[in-house]
Amino acid sequence: QAAWCELPSRVLLVLTSQRGVQMYESDGSTMVFWHALDVPELPAAHSVFARGIAAAGGRFICVGTSSGAVLVFDVPPKGSNVTLSEVLEQHRDPITDIAAEQGQAPDGAGDLVTADDSGTLCLWSTGEEFTLLGKIPGSGCTCSSVALWNGIVAAGYGNGQIRLWEAGSGRIRAQVSAHARWIYALDLAPLTGKLLSGAEDSFVHVWQLSRNPDTADIEIRHCHAECVTDTQVCGARFCDPAGDSF
Amino acid sequence: RVDEWTDVDRKRVMNDIISAMFKKNFMEELFKPQDLYSKKALRTVYDRLAHTSIMRLNQASMDKLYDLMTMAFKYQVLLCPRPRDILLVTFNHLDAIKDFISDSPGILNQVDETFRQLIETYTCLSDGEFQLIRQTLLIFFQDMHIRVSIFLKDKVQNSNGRFVLPISGPVPWGTEVPGLIRIFNHKGVEVKRAEFTTAGNYVTPQREGSFELYGDRVLKLGTNMYSITRPVETHMSGSSKNLASQAKENIVPNPLAKEELNFLARLLGGLDIQKPAGGETGFRLNLFTTDEEEEHAAQTRPEELSYKVINIEATQEPGRRAELSRILGELEVAEPRPGSAEKGEDLLALMDGL
């Protein structure tokens, strides 16, 4: 996997693989940091890898692993003195995706969500020490991708469903039969609350998230569908923070 | 020539190959946790399996057969509705194989044993683990777009070599037909429903396929493509441009390749090669219409597409065994220790070398 991690002081390119985690300067010129995973000498029954990348809390980069552990790296404003600050061990299945709050978190909602193969979601408050605020148990279906906006968790699943959860309470607020196959990618446009979903069924959908001012219900509306003929969509991203193009 | 073969010959070849494939020690090796074989290594194993009986194929026909096999496999893996359906596809393969050797109880037993091992090893894996397996397999096939006549005719493959991905039909078991949005209030009560439409035309599936030793798999992927006799053809023209870059990757020497192939020699050492009796050349399979065509295909096949098969001496000499064990021992890589930036650079060099 590859992801840009935007921190207030710098942007790093983070790569994950079966060997571990690498962090590069945003122009690719130097490798800033490298963390090796404990790879067994002979192949074991379960693959070892790092997966799930997110910048969080203004100074951390979080990376998930196949053991379910989430590595929290403390990144200095300059230079290569990146340190492993904490290892979060709440997941028992391989991490699939990690997302930081992209809007304004309501009180008590947390600013980081981590997801795993069993569909379990964990909500965290970042800082010197991360605090687990809540856990949404999975129902056996892999949560392949996740996004967090204004206290709304948007989760895409291997069975093609998108679910919206209230980050503060951990309750489900919306369920969408969005795709006919495994959802690979979700992206969120923070300025407008548009959500993009891409799946193996060849479709990319654009949705609009919102909160009903009267009922405080979380709502999701379908805006647009695009079919990429004969292609299993593996990645999808908005090109701008308003979500005008993708 | 295929038309000189008798039913006895066909039966013999089928039994020999299936028996070799499901031999206990061969299967034991396959079930060990390991990385995916390289393209060269897989092709070599395939060649050996194809030649475990009295049937012979020359280079051109062998290439064609391998192309056909890889594209059919790619198609099946790609089109699996759910990641765990790759197991159902495998069960379809085994069901068909059991049908071929239904009157040979010894071989049938071997196949059933493998079946049981597959059930034991794989049925407990999660969707996420199956998807990882599937993605790993798909990376192997990523740049292969060889056009296969039977796929083109059935409109499952486009003329550019890409497979058709239908946006209609039954959704996978466990998935809902797309279109419904349900909104819940803070108490978890559904308060609103909305629908959206797309170009897709999906329906609910009737039932789930069986993962037991016997049962209706429901899924058609992996069933016998040739249950009706059809000509076997693969088209090479026009696809070389796409394959050239992939072929270049194959040509770059891989320092681990020799060790890997020596390990394969040990693996295949147990396979008995049937030598045709009395000095005859045995039976040769030609996948082209005439011998001249086969010759011509061999000569005109673009260089970059050749699989560069390496011949392995799979002997049982004790001396050679020791050598192989030593090479295997040398394959073990010391675990990298976390530490200074210097160590980090070593690791990077190690990664670059792989």
Side-chain angles (χ1 to χ4, degrees):
Chain A
Q1 271 192 328
W4 294 110
C5 286
E6 279 186 47
L7 294 164
S9 51
R10 69 201 296 192
V11 174
L12 290 179
L13 175 66
V14 180
L15 306 181
T16 58
S17 70
Q18 291 179 293
R19 301 280 154 186
V21 187
Q22 288 179 310
M23 300 187 190
Y24 290 85
E25 293 290 5
S26 58
D27 61 358
S29 58
T30 35
M31 186 176 70
V32 170
F33 179 73
W34 146 252
H35 175 93
L37 287 175
D38 280 328
V39 179
E41 281 183 24
L42 291 174
H46 295 277
S47 221
V48 172
F49 52 86
R51 184 172 62 187
I53 306 168
R59 68 186 244 231
F60 301 105
I61 287 177
C62 302
V63 179
T65 66
S66 47
S67 67
V70 176
L71 308 171
V72 180
F73 296 100
D74 197 335
V75 182
K78 267 197 311 213
S80 58
N81 191 23
V82 176
T83 54
L84 179 62
S85 147
E86 219 182 328
V87 178
L88 309 174
E89 279 168 330
Q90 283 292 333
H91 290 274
R92 284 183 310 199
D93 295 278
I95 302 296
T96 49
D97 199 13
I98 304 178
E101 171 63 64
Q102 287 181 263
Q104 293 283 10
D107 289 332
D111 56 341
L112 188 79
V113 59
T114 52
D116 72 27
D117 259 4
S118 72
T120 300
L121 302 170
C122 286
L123 286 133
W124 307 86
S125 148
T126 63
E128 283 280 338
E129 264 180 39
F130 279 41
T131 317
L132 177 72
L133 297 178
K135 202 185 254 192
I136 299 169
S139 47
C141 194
T142 301
C143 174
S144 46
S145 49
V146 75
L148 181 56
W149 182 70
N150 293 354
I152 304 169
V153 176
Y157 293 83
N159 66 357
Q161 263 194 10
I162 291 176
R163 292 181 176 183
L164 301 183
W165 304 85
E166 177 92 66
S169 63
R171 286 181 179 263
I172 189 166
R173 299 308 295 266
Q175 191 164 295
V176 186
S177 313
H179 289 274
R181 293 284 191 279
W182 189 282
I183 294 178
Y184 263 119
L186 282 187
D187 194 29
L188 195 129
L191 292 183
T192 54
K194 282 210 189 111
L195 183 73
L196 189 68
S197 65
E200 276 184 10
D201 63 354
S202 310
F203 280 91
V204 178
H205 290 295
V206 182
W207 315 85
Q208 178 66 61
L209 302 187
S210 60
R211 272 198 200 261
N212 188 311
D214 305 319
T215 63
D217 284 337
I218 294 168
E219 297 190 345
I220 178 168
R221 178 171 62 82
H222 183 255
C223 300
H224 182 74
E226 197 68 45
C227 179
V228 189
T229 313
D230 297 336
T231 306
Q232 294 186 345
V233 176
C234 293
R237 281 285 179 268
F238 282 120
C239 301
D240 58 275
D244 288 329
S245 56
F246 62 87
Chain B
R1 307 260 152 63
V2 177
D3 49 79
E4 284 172 2
W5 293 35
T6 63
D7 277 344
V8 173
D9 300 322
R10 288 192 187 92
K11 199 91 187 82
R12 166 90 186 269
V13 172
M14 200 62 111
N15 281 14
D16 287 348
I17 292 179
I18 294 172
S19 174
M21 258 174 84
F22 289 87
K23 220 177 177 93
K24 189 169 176 187
N25 56 355
F26 186 66
M27 274 301 157
E28 259 169 26
E29 284 295 338
L30 290 184
F31 270 87
K32 283 184 186 157
Q34 59 193 292
D35 289 330
L36 213 56
Y37 287 172
S38 67
K39 293 186 173 149
K40 274 200 198 85
L42 182 67
R43 171 59 197 263
T44 307
V45 173
Y46 194 74
D47 270 12
R48 291 279 299 209
L49 276 172
H51 286 99
T52 47
S53 187
I54 52 174
M55 180 178 74
R56 291 286 169 271
L57 293 99
N58 74 6
Q59 184 73 3
S61 280
M62 195 62 231
D63 286 345
K64 198 179 198 190
L65 185 63
Y66 187 75
D67 287 344
L68 177 66
M69 186 279 289
T70 50
M71 290 309 289
F73 190 85
K74 177 177 179 174
Y75 173 69
Q76 290 165 18
V77 174
L78 190 67
L79 262 82
C80 273
R82 301 173 298 178
R84 81 176 48 241
D85 288 338
I86 57 175
L87 196 52
L88 281 181
V89 170
T90 308
F91 291 168
N92 271 334
H93 292 169
L94 292 185
D95 287 340
I97 288 169
K98 279 165 72 171
D99 202 41
F100 295 145
I101 43 106
S102 52
D103 51 2
S104 311
I107 312 174
L108 201 54
N109 245 353
Q110 283 175 268
V111 179
D112 272 343
E113 193 43 51
T114 303
F115 218 124
R116 278 184 217 106
Q117 241 189 313
L118 282 168
I119 291 173
E120 195 185 299
T121 311
Y122 291 98
T123 47
C124 54
L125 293 190
S126 68
D127 290 340
E129 285 170 311
F130 270 115
Q131 185 65 307
L132 197 57
I133 292 172
R134 182 169 168 271
Q135 286 167 344
T136 309
L137 291 172
L138 287 175
I139 290 170
F140 185 93
F141 295 109
Q142 191 165 10
D143 296 310
M144 294 187 194
H145 302 291
I146 300 164
R147 293 174 329 214
V148 175
S149 162
I150 189 174
F151 290 147
L152 295 169
K153 278 200 190 81
D154 290 349
K155 303 253 186 289
V156 302
Q157 190 179 27
N158 294 318
S159 54
N160 64 0
R162 263 62 170 183
F163 288 116
V164 172
L165 300 182
I167 56 171
S168 59
V171 288
W173 189 260
T175 293
E176 288 167 5
V177 172
L180 186 61
I181 300 173
R182 299 166 67 192
I183 306 289
F184 304 95
N185 67 12
H186 64 281
K187 293 203 193 103
V189 177
E190 184 183 311
V191 291
K192 191 157 114 174
R193 279 198 172 202
E195 283 187 18
F196 67 94
T197 54
T198 62
N201 183 16
Y202 296 102
V203 295
T204 328
Q206 294 207 328
R207 60 191 185 284
E208 188 180 14
S210 162
F211 286 88
E212 313 270 317
L213 192 57
Y214 300 99
D216 179 7
R217 313 297 171 198
V218 179
L219 194 63
K220 293 290 164 262
L221 286 173
T223 54
N224 190 350
M225 279 163 53
Y226 295 102
S227 42
I228 315 159
T229 326
R230 285 196 232 225
V232 173
E233 287 171 53
T234 54
H235 292 251
M236 298 312 309
S237 59
S239 54
S240 50
K241 204 165 81 159
N242 284 332
L243 286 166
S245 53
Q246 170 219 324
K248 278 197 188 68
E249 191 197 302
N250 278 347
I251 289 164
V252 170
N254 178 355
L256 285 179
K258 184 164 177 287
E259 284 80 7
E260 186 180 52
L261 291 170
N262 282 329
F263 176 68
L264 264 180
R266 181 163 156 265
L267 168 70
L268 296 166
L271 288 177
D272 295 322
I273 306 295
Q274 304 273 355
K275 290 270 187 299
E280 315 143 35
T281 47
F283 293 93
R284 198 169 62 76
L285 178 62
N286 178 356
L287 289 175
F288 297 80
T289 323
T290 64
D291 280 350
E292 287 72 34
E293 244 190 69
E294 191 185 36
E295 258 297 303
H296 179 72
Q299 281 158 9
T300 58
R301 188 181 176 93
E303 178 56 32
E304 63 263 19
L305 292 168
S306 73
Y307 291 96
K308 291 187 170 37
V309 175
I310 292 169
N311 288 316
I312 298 176
E313 262 308 308
T315 65
Q316 305 271 4
E317 284 174 59
R320 197 160 272 259
R321 269 264 173 78
E323 171 73 9
L324 286 166
S325 301
R326 187 187 63 76
I327 291 169
L328 269 177
E330 283 170 1
L331 277 176
E332 285 163 28
V333 178
E335 208 178 274
R337 283 160 293 148
S340 62
E342 229 179 30
K343 286 277 186 281
E345 274 151 18
D346 285 345
L347 282 165
L348 202 58
L350 175 71
M351 283 168 68
D352 282 342
L354 285 171

